[in-house]
Every structure is written in structure tokens, then in C-alpha cells.
């Protein structure tokens, strides 16, 4: 058999977290234990000194978590992955490692609301200054870089505007300035986009979304490229403490196995829905990377393997019409989060991006009328029927 890292993405998703169980269990058991027994005092001391391989304490290492981390590292093409308690724990840990001693971050202006709020509200107390720019215009990244810039942080496609940044160009600019490029790959998943192959240094995900895919786990992950990075991130995560627990790691690992299948169906459904919305007379505009009307349609075709399952749109009737639609759909649940098997609809300005400063929301074109749809794996006719009955009531 080919080495797992040379196999197709579907094989990586099923077998990437290779785990050798002493009893032959096909699926890694849930090691729901906080601590591991030492054989004797010298054994414990050797483990703590790193002279012998083994498990000590679940905040440091746990076999169930490791199996899930290995699967994600293989999918992303990274050296190793670090499971975190949430996507925000992954963002925070990444910044804590890369921004030690303070400095500047150049960040996409359209990012998940809590990421923006973390940088704006807590950043300055850690000596971190953030410049938010439209990273889809790479010249804006270049212009924002200063002597003290340590990190370029991009979300692409961005939450919720679906603006797309050229990852390879952002990597060139960051590296020229000796800065680290961090890519939040949540919206594409490792099935559709491979930031390491395009020059990224660190890739993060909210595993709450596509990776787990079943809306029953909150989790995050940091994927790194080198052993040196891994050691730095692992020791900081151990100290900061935001690790995932074994049961949630088990659920994410289970979800990963169907990730390529889910993504395939979600992309196909989303394409049909985006085309339907674009034709609908009540719709003002639609933003979906698979539509030719998307400003970075060609770039997305170049740097990813598909358009994803997220659609943003605004109705001609603006916010009141958007509210009426969101209140009248049944199959599409009115709920935040995204990437799962069920379709979800929400209003970023008053929900996911409500804590983001209004000026930044306006700068990033997160308009009051913008509605965000995460397309699930239901029968597409049923989703279309649900949206159609809602739009017909306007
Ligand atoms: N990065 C992105 C791109 C996200 O969309 C989110 C959450 C996070 C990081 C944080 O992950 P968490 O801590 O929630 O696991 N985005 C959400 C959203 O759009 N709706 O609800 C959560």
C-alpha cells in the first residue's frame, strides 16, 4: 500500500489517524482518564524528563486525542496537529505563541467576530496592535506591514463575507517581512484547500464546523509544519491549558471519516442554492465562490478544490426582508455555527459579528442586511423548497 500521506483525501480521512491498539480495536478507544499510572517512581521521573515515551496526564498527552490529531495532520499535510478546546482556544494559543513580547498583527478585516474582538479588546493588554485590512487586496497587506509585524492572519474565504485572499501571495509578503502566515482554514476544510502547499506556516480550524460536522462538539485545532514549531506550540498549550477532551476528540475523529463525502454533497447543494438565489427577483446580491459573479471566482478555482458550503446574500428589502425570511424558514435552522450536516441560517450583524466594533463591520462590508447560510447535506429540493416558501411570503 502507498504511504498514507500519498493516498487520496478520502483514504486519509478514514485511515489518517492510524492507531495500533493492543487488543486490535479498529477504532481508538476513548481513554476517558485524566491521568496514567506509573510503574514506579523512576518510570514517572523518566517520563517527565522525556527519557522514555509514554503517557502522563491528559492535558499533556492522551491516546484518543493523539489519534484525532494525527488524522488532521495527515489531512492538512502538516507535521503534527494540536487539539484545542475550541476554535477560539486555537486562535488564542496561536497568538500567545507567535506574539510573545507583543508586536503587530495584520489581519483580514472580515474575520469571525470573536477573533476580531479578541484582537481589539484583549490584544492591547498583551502589547498586540492589530491592523485590519482587506487581505484580498494583497497590496493592502504589504502597505500595512511594519518593522514590528510578527503575524499575518487571514481567514479565507472570510466569515461572513466570503472574500477570498490569495494565500501564496500573502505568504510571500509575510515571509519577506520575516512574519508568520496563519491561515484560518475553517470555511474550506482540508478537503478543499491546502494552505501549507501555498506557503502558510500555521493552519487553524474551528473543528466545531466541517471537521466534526455534526453540531455536537466545540473544538479547535492548530496544525504546524515543523517539529520545532510543534515543540513550541505543545509546551505553550500545556501551560495555557485549552486542550480538547478525549470524548470530544473521539467524536471529531469519527466525523472526519465522512468529511470528503459530506463536503462533496454540501458543495453540490450550495451551488444549486446559490444559483437559485442569484436568479430570484427578491435577492439583491449573492456571494458564493462557485458563482462567476464572485469577485475572486478565478482565484478560488486556482487555490482550492471547490466552492464550499457557505453562502452570503442580501435581499432587496434589506434587513426587514432578511429577518422575515429567517423567521419563516423551517428546515434551515435559525442558529449560528456552520459546516454541519444540517442547514443553518443566521444574521451576522446581530449574531456572530455582534461584538465586532461597528466601524470594523462597516469597513469589512458586513452589512446589516447580510444573511449567512450554511448548506447541509439534506435533499437539495427540500432546502430550495424551504427557502422558496420563505421568500414567497415577502
Ligand atoms: N474561526 C472561524 C472562521 C469561525 O467561524 C469560528 C467560529 C471560530 C474560528 C471560533 O471557533 P469556536 O471557538 O466557535 O469553535 N464561528 C462561528 C460562527 O460563524 N458561528 O458560530 C461560531
Amino acid at each position: 500500500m502507498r504511504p498514507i500521506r500519498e493516498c487520496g483525501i478520502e483514504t486519509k480521512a478514514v485511515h489518517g489517524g492510524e492507531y495500533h491498539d493492543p487488543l486490535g480495536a479498529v477504532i481508538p478507544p476513548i481513554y476517558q482518564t485524566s491521568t496514567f499510572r506509573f510503574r514506579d517512581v523512576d518510570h514517572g521521573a523518566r517520563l517527565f524528563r522525556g527519557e522514555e515515551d509514554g503517557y502522563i496526564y491528559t492535558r499533556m498527552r492522551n491516546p484518543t486525542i493523539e489519534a484525532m490529531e494525527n488524522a488532521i495532520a495527515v489531512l492538512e499535510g502538516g507535521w503534527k496537529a494540536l487539539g484545542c478546546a475550541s476554535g477560539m482556544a486555537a486562535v488564542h494559543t496561536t497568538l500567545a505563541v507567535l506574539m510573545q513580547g507583543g508586536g503587530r498583527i495584520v489581519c483580514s478585516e472580515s474575520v469571525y467576530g470573536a477573533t476580531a474582538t479578541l484582537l481589539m479588546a484583549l490584544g492591547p493588554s498583551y502589547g498586540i496592535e492589530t491592523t485590519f485590512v482587506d487581505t484580498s487586496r494583497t497590496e493592502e497587506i504589504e502597505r500595512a506591514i511594519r518593522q514590528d509585524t510578527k503575524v499575518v492572519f487571514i481567514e479565507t474565504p472570510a466569515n461572513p463575507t466570503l472574500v477570498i485572499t490569495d494565500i501564496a501571495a500573502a505568504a510571500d509578503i509575510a515571509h519577506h517581512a520575516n512574519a508568520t502566515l496563519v491561515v484560518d482554514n475553517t470555511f474550506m476544510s482540508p478537503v478543499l484547500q491546502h494552505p501549507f502547499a501555498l506557503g502558510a506556516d500555521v493552519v487553524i480550524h474551528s473543528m466545531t464546523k466541517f471537521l466534526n460536522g455534526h453540531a455536537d462538539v466545540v473544538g479547535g485545532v492548530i496544525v504546524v509544519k515543523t517539529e520545532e514549531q510543534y515543540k513550541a506550540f505543545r509546551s505553550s498549550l500545556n501551560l495555557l491549558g485549552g486542550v480538547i477532551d478525549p470524548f470530544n476528540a473521539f467524536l471529531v475523529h469519527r466525523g472526519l471519516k465522512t468529511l470528503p463525502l459530506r463536503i462533496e454533497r454540501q458543495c453540490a447543494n450550495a451551488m444549486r442554492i446559490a444559483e437559485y438565489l442569484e436568479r430570484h427577483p427578491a435577492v439583491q446580491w449573492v456571494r458564493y465562490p462557485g458563482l462567476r459573479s464572485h469577485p475572486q471566482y478565478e482565484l478560488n478555482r486556482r487555490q482550492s478544490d471547490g466552492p464550499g458550503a457557505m453562502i452570503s446574500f442580501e435581499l432587496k428589502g434589506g434587513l426587514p426582508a432578511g429577518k422575515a425570511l429567517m423567521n419563516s424558514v423551517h428546515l434551515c435552522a435559525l442558529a449560528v455555527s456552520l459546516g454541519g450536516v444540517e442547514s443553518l441560517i443566521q444574521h451576522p450583524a446581530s449574531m456572530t459579528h455582534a461584538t465586532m466594533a461597528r466601524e470594523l463591520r462597516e469597513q469589512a462590508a458586513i452589512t446589516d442586511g447580510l444573511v449567512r447560510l450554511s448548506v447541509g447535506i439534506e435533499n437539495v429540493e427540500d432546502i430550495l423548497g424551504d427557502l422558496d416558501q420563505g421568500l414567497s411570503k415577502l
Side-chain angles (χ1 to χ4, degrees), residues 277-285 313-322 369 391 394:
L277 288 171
E278 197 167 48
R279 279 194 310 269
H280 200 287
V283 175
Q284 180 74 30
W285 56 261
F313 61 97
E314 185 160 346
L315 298 177
K316 284 188 181 143
L319 179 58
L391 288 168
L394 298 178

Side-chain angles (χ1 to χ4, degrees), residues 70-88:
N70 291 343
I72 292 181
V74 166
L75 282 168
E76 273 294 0
W79 170 265
K80 277 199 177 177
L82 301 98
C84 301
S86 65
M88 287 313 299

